[in-house]
Amino acid sequence: MIWEVFRQEQRGKYHTHCGNVHAPDKEMALMFAQIQHGRRRPTHSLWVTPRDEIGEVDAEETRFGGTTDKSYRWASTFNTDEDFAAEIAASQREQEAAERERAEQDGGAERGSDAEQGAEEGESA
Amino acid sequence: MSTETTGLGTPESLTDAEREAVEAELRPLADGEFVLAERYTEWQVQAPTLESDLAISNIAQDELGHARLWYDLLEDFGYTEADLIWEASPGEFRHPTLVELPFAEGDWADAIVRGYLYDAYESRHLHALEGTSYPRIADRVGKVLAEEDYHTQHARNWLSRLCDDEPGRERVQNALDRLFPYALTLFAETEHEDAIVEMRIRTESLAAMRGEWLEVVVPRLESLGLSVPASEDGEVLVDLPDQVGKDGSHTEHWPELLEEFTRTYRKLELGEPPRLLEDPNEA
Amino acid sequence: MVTMDIDTLTERAGPRQFGPKDDLPEEYRKAATRMIQFHANSEIMGAYLERPFIRQAPSLDRKLAFSAKVQDEIGHGQLLYRAAESLGIKTREQMLDELANGEGKFLNCFHYPMTEWWETPMIGFFVDGAAMRRQATLKKTSWEPYAHAMDKICFEEGFHIKHGESILRELATGSRKEQKLVQEAFEEWWPRILQFFGPTDDQSTHHDFASAVGLKTMGNDELRQSFLNAYLPKARKYGLELPEYPRINEGENGRYEVVEDDLDWDEFWQIAKNDFEPGRQQIDSRRAAREAVAWVRESMETLGSGSNNTDTPQAAD
């Protein structure tokens, strides 16, 4: 049986996926995960969950966040000033970063398929 | 994409007949998405669970966004958003009456059945626009179509869950009985139908689309233990309602809804609806 | 594992220090539940108050933005009820039932009726702005799931405030009629907005414990002060005139002093008990809507017993 392992580096931070282990049950999975995934990197806590219980949907199957213009849900669309309050400025900076990453990912996905084709044609760097 | 047919040109270059046909195709499409969304938003903060609330809100926004794209193409012909929506009279709207019906409180089955019947039609309609001869439509179909998958999945998943027990199935059946005749208005033809198909603004006739729609919708609904007043080979046992919408005739619910959503606009005597988003041509 | 005693708890209290795995004293778990449930309830009732304006928004773009904003508030409710649920005192269903039957408490401002578009920035800019001031400080709360919820809420909330300010600006720079209406709305809502942070700290019953164990990181007075510092200049910028009462004295050190006796605390406490008639109506009509879809929740609970729910792929429709 396969267990997915999530590690939290410090108290208060998020558990993020770091790998998996083969184990017959939860206790053994926790035991193995401590060594395989917690012995070197800073670790405060580990979660394990059966792989079969994990559902997944990916960008091949759906268009996360939609394909038409959704800028109405982003702070940067509203051209009032955000710097009068630090928390609003911080929110907008985070949103701008997310928007940039989304744009890069979209561009990257297109470039990625171009690159694959390029590789076949021996053009990739 | 069909590049072989001699396409229509830019909005300015259309003949009067071409322009009329394009308008006749776009107006019900834009109004249909808009009014469906307007009704969907009634579920915001009232949906069965918090998660389902978020999902239906998103679908409402998607459909509104689609309406925005289609209205924008009508604006090519000199109309403004104010002309098309905020200052329009009830009869100027051409949405099929399916989408204007109110929801009875708590009738989630109605929202799901309506969404299912509509989405099954809409994705068919969009596919029939993929090869359109009018480039302004062709540019936008892909983006709209890409958002329809989630809607279809949403409707299908909910339908099968609701039909999983007897009380749920009964509610779905009631909604279906009430909505099915109105769903036929999705395929009601206008006087421009022949022109639309001949000019290949839409590559399939409404009659053909209706046939395909029945082929898909009827078996799925029947597989869930529902009875449908139609068969998959095209036989329909109910009449069209008196008001079909696409000819400008509407139920008594429509003027009421229009009155409600134009309330602020009228009270503030705006004259121009405020814009926030980039023009779709720029975005 | 032994339940942590209050002294240890107080000593260890700090940002994001406690999580579901810690065996915390009931006093902490109850206090945190009370606080987060109140916060979650407020998201729902705020959204409930704002939902008519999705319909009444005066343009497609404004409608889209309003719908997205109300959607976010429900999303915040979802995050917060989960954070509250993880304390092990109440389930989400219990908390939503309590909100429906009038036991659940929520922010004072959401007990007042809001009927016109020009009132919406009072919530969307001022009340949300006040809430965001508080929320930013809660990123350092000691209950880790609450802090995590706050990360996502604060990420989204910037859109809400700017959306509110955008409507305010549109009205304040619009026709004479719009300016007059928004001024009237401001005068009506301003005292309620000042009461957002509650009475001064010494009158707050739950404050001491919540502060001691790190649930709260800033006091009401301090929050109100920082709210006034940021938002009073905004009101002035848009030409909104402060009503004569409640009096606000500006001290030499830039601090504002609100004359608390000028505010209606009887009404505030009546609201706090869910006894204020307009608020009661909001609660009751939301309950009716919630009950009307109870059948769907029941149907979902029995899922898996039937045969239809394995959605085998069929031809695309």
Side-chain angles (χ1 to χ4, degrees):
Chain A
M1 191 172 174
I2 299 170
W3 298 75
E4 296 297 339
V5 184
F6 299 79
R7 186 180 64 241
Q8 181 195 41
E9 293 202 352
Q10 279 171 34
R11 197 181 268 283
K13 297 215 164 161
Y14 289 79
H15 284 80
T16 53
H17 185 247
C18 63
N20 38 48
V21 289
H22 275 274
D25 58 33
K26 188 160 72 183
E27 283 65 38
M28 298 286 276
L30 285 168
M31 205 173 76
F32 293 153
Q34 290 172 48
I35 307 304
Q36 172 63 329
H37 298 292
R39 75 178 184 280
R40 194 166 277 119
R41 289 201 180 269
T43 304
H44 176 257
S45 152
L46 288 178
W47 288 345
V48 296
T49 183
R51 187 192 178 91
D52 290 349
E53 296 298 320
I54 294 178
E56 184 179 355
V57 57
D58 68 17
E60 302 260 298
E61 296 155 296
T62 193
R63 306 295 294 265
F64 296 103
T67 43
T68 58
D69 187 1
K70 310 278 189 216
S71 51
Y72 52 83
R73 60 167 71 129
W74 296 97
S76 55
T77 298
F78 301 85
N79 59 354
T80 56
D81 100 88
E82 64 274 8
D83 293 322
F84 77 102
E87 65 278 15
I88 297 172
S91 167
Q92 177 147 341
R93 298 294 99 79
E94 285 178 40
Q95 293 194 11
E96 284 163 355
E99 277 185 290
R100 262 196 315 276
E101 284 165 30
R102 270 180 62 89
E104 279 165 20
Q105 202 176 30
D106 287 351
E110 277 158 34
R111 276 198 305 281
S113 56
D114 289 350
E116 260 170 54
Q117 283 172 6
E120 277 172 14
E121 293 157 23
E123 283 170 9
S124 124
Chain B
M1 296 290 137
S2 71
T3 46
E4 310 211 344
T5 47
T6 46
L8 302 181
T10 58
E12 306 77 40
S13 72
L14 300 185
T15 65
D16 286 353
E18 286 170 342
R19 177 186 150 149
E20 271 179 38
V22 170
E23 277 190 33
E25 176 65 2
L26 284 171
R27 182 87 216 200
L29 193 60
D31 292 341
E33 302 274 60
F34 173 59
V35 179
L36 179 69
E38 189 61 53
R39 284 296 184 200
Y40 274 153
T41 63
E42 289 175 17
W43 286 102
Q44 291 201 249
V45 202
Q46 316 246 44
T49 63
L50 300 177
E51 286 82 359
S52 53
D53 207 301
L54 296 167
I56 197 151
S57 307
N58 218 70
I59 294 175
Q61 289 158 29
D62 284 349
E63 303 292 22
L64 269 177
H66 301 173
R68 194 177 153 266
L69 289 177
W70 303 134
Y71 281 126
D72 181 66
L73 294 189
L74 287 163
E75 289 173 22
D76 287 348
F77 300 128
Y79 302 107
T80 62
E81 186 183 320
D83 298 332
L84 294 165
I85 302 174
W86 306 97
E87 295 170 18
S89 63
E92 287 177 75
F93 287 84
R94 295 302 163 103
H95 53 273
T97 43
L98 172 73
V99 298
E100 74 193 30
L101 302 176
F103 294 112
E105 188 166 51
D107 199 353
W108 184 245
D110 181 323
I112 298 304
V113 172
R114 187 183 305 199
Y116 175 70
L117 298 173
Y118 186 89
D119 292 334
Y121 142 82
E122 195 196 351
S123 53
R124 221 139 249 104
H125 193 163
L126 292 169
H127 281 300
L129 290 175
E130 280 187 305
T132 178
S133 58
Y134 187 51
R136 295 282 284 154
I137 296 181
D139 291 345
R140 297 177 183 202
V141 176
K143 278 188 172 181
V144 174
L145 201 49
E147 289 181 340
E148 284 305 315
D149 285 348
Y150 184 87
H151 302 186
T152 304
Q153 201 187 356
H154 181 265
R156 285 207 312 231
N157 276 332
W158 268 111
L159 261 188
S160 67
R161 266 56 171 190
L162 292 179
C163 289
D164 192 49
D165 65 10
E166 202 42 53
R169 182 159 51 235
E170 209 168 291
R171 288 186 188 253
V172 172
Q173 183 68 61
N174 287 342
L176 184 61
D177 292 345
R178 198 173 58 251
L179 295 174
F180 198 84
Y182 287 96
L184 299 172
T185 67
L186 294 165
F187 305 97
E189 292 176 0
T190 67
E191 55 186 307
H192 301 280
E193 176 64 8
D194 291 343
I196 290 168
V197 178
E198 269 161 36
M199 294 177 193
R200 296 187 59 79
I201 295 163
R202 173 171 16 87
T203 57
E204 238 186 308
S205 71
L206 285 165
M209 280 164 52
R210 190 177 94 145
E212 286 170 33
W213 180 79
L214 287 170
E215 275 171 37
V216 171
V217 164
V218 174
R220 177 173 290 271
L221 293 172
E222 285 179 345
S223 77
L224 297 172
L226 300 162
S227 74
V228 192
S231 71
E232 56 189 288
D233 43 28
E235 194 192 357
V236 174
L237 307 170
V238 288
D239 294 330
L240 266 183
D242 290 339
Q243 296 87 14
V244 293
K246 287 167 90 174
D247 59 358
S249 65
H250 290 280
T251 66
E252 75 271 23
H253 309 294
W254 171 240
E256 214 175 288
L257 180 60
L258 179 62
E259 181 84 10
E260 269 180 50
F261 74 70
T262 54
R263 185 168 174 265
T264 303
Y265 184 90
R266 281 181 288 110
K267 279 201 169 182
L268 290 178
E269 299 157 24
L270 285 185
E272 203 183 330
R275 289 267 170 127
L276 297 167
L277 276 60
E278 258 184 281
D279 187 281
N281 298 314
E282 314 293 322
Chain C
M1 202 162 48
V2 187
T3 304
M4 204 183 292
D5 61 57
I6 302 281
D7 286 346
T8 317
L9 185 82
T10 312
E11 203 177 299
R12 270 190 46 195
R16 307 181 183 222
Q17 281 304 297
F18 308 123
K21 204 161 171 297
D22 296 309
D23 193 353
L24 301 166
E26 199 174 15
E27 199 178 347
Y28 178 91
R29 290 187 293 119
K30 280 191 167 160
T33 303
R34 186 189 307 115
M35 183 171 164
I36 306 170
Q37 182 179 0
F38 182 93
H39 194 167
N41 289 346
S42 300
E43 297 283 355
I44 304 299
M45 295 311 289
Y48 194 75
L49 196 61
E50 288 189 304
R51 66 181 287 281
F53 300 96
I54 304 169
R55 171 143 301 163
Q56 292 177 37
S59 73
L60 280 180
D61 288 2
R62 286 267 178 240
K63 191 181 288 287
L64 277 162
F66 227 100
S67 170
K69 195 233 167 173
V70 172
Q71 177 190 33
D72 281 355
E73 305 290 10
I74 296 299
H76 297 176
Q78 195 271 357
L79 295 167
L80 290 165
Y81 282 122
R82 281 293 309 128
E85 224 173 13
S86 64
L87 286 150
I89 301 287
K90 291 174 189 173
T91 65
R92 180 169 99 180
E93 221 40 31
Q94 275 173 307
M95 291 183 270
L96 285 166
D97 283 342
E98 286 179 5
L99 183 59
N101 68 26
E103 285 172 61
K105 304 295 166 53
F106 56 96
L107 268 177
N108 72 313
C109 292
F110 302 149
H111 288 255
Y112 294 92
M114 183 161 71
T115 52
E116 302 294 347
W117 175 257
W118 42 94
E119 293 177 88
T120 61
M122 303 308 139
I123 297 283
F125 183 55
F126 292 108
V127 176
D128 282 0
M132 192 161 175
R133 285 257 115 148
R134 173 189 271 158
Q135 283 163 342
T137 70
L138 291 173
K139 281 186 165 191
K140 290 186 178 153
T141 183
S142 59
W143 183 242
E144 177 203 87
Y146 193 20
H148 284 180
M150 226 39 70
D151 287 340
K152 184 150 185 249
I153 290 173
C154 289
F155 163 66
E156 294 180 352
E157 196 75 22
F159 148 48
H160 298 189
I161 315 294
K162 291 188 78 189
H163 166 253
E165 184 174 350
S166 160
I167 297 173
L168 175 61
R169 186 181 58 184
E170 199 162 271
L171 293 162
T173 59
S175 65
R176 190 158 294 186
K177 179 176 182 178
E178 287 171 280
Q179 292 176 11
K180 180 173 160 284
L181 290 169
V182 77
Q183 173 64 32
E184 284 169 11
F186 181 69
E187 283 172 30
E188 191 176 17
W189 282 88
W190 182 243
R192 308 161 183 174
I193 294 164
L194 289 176
Q195 287 179 307
F196 172 97
F197 294 106
T200 45
D201 288 338
D202 56 340
Q203 286 170 281
S204 167
T205 42
H206 305 302
H207 177 74
D208 289 347
F209 181 76
S211 294
V213 298
L215 281 167
K216 267 186 173 182
T217 60
M218 210 192 259
N220 290 344
D221 280 349
E222 227 176 319
L223 280 168
R224 182 159 59 194
Q225 202 59 240
S226 101
F227 167 73
L228 289 171
N229 275 322
Y231 285 81
L232 254 186
K234 280 287 186 181
R236 293 195 176 120
K237 176 183 168 183
Y238 292 117
L240 296 173
E241 282 174 45
L242 293 188
E244 193 181 342
Y245 293 96
R247 285 163 293 175
I248 298 178
N249 303 317
E250 204 164 341
E252 285 162 22
N253 50 2
R255 286 182 76 83
Y256 295 102
E257 188 220 344
V258 180
V259 179
E260 293 223 357
D261 287 346
D262 290 352
L263 292 161
D264 188 343
W265 292 102
D266 288 341
E267 188 173 272
F268 180 85
W269 292 114
Q270 197 186 2
I271 283 172
K273 285 183 274 179
N274 285 349
D275 280 344
F276 184 60
E277 188 48 33
R280 222 36 254 189
Q281 284 173 18
Q282 290 286 108
I283 295 168
D284 290 344
S285 63
R286 186 193 153 272
R287 173 177 56 203
R290 176 171 163 76
E291 282 171 1
V293 280
W295 69 272
V296 184
R297 291 188 295 275
E298 281 157 26
S299 170
M300 282 162 83
E301 272 167 31
T302 61
L303 259 192
S305 53
S307 53
N308 278 328
N309 61 340
T310 46
D311 190 28
T312 45
Q314 292 184 20
D317 51 358

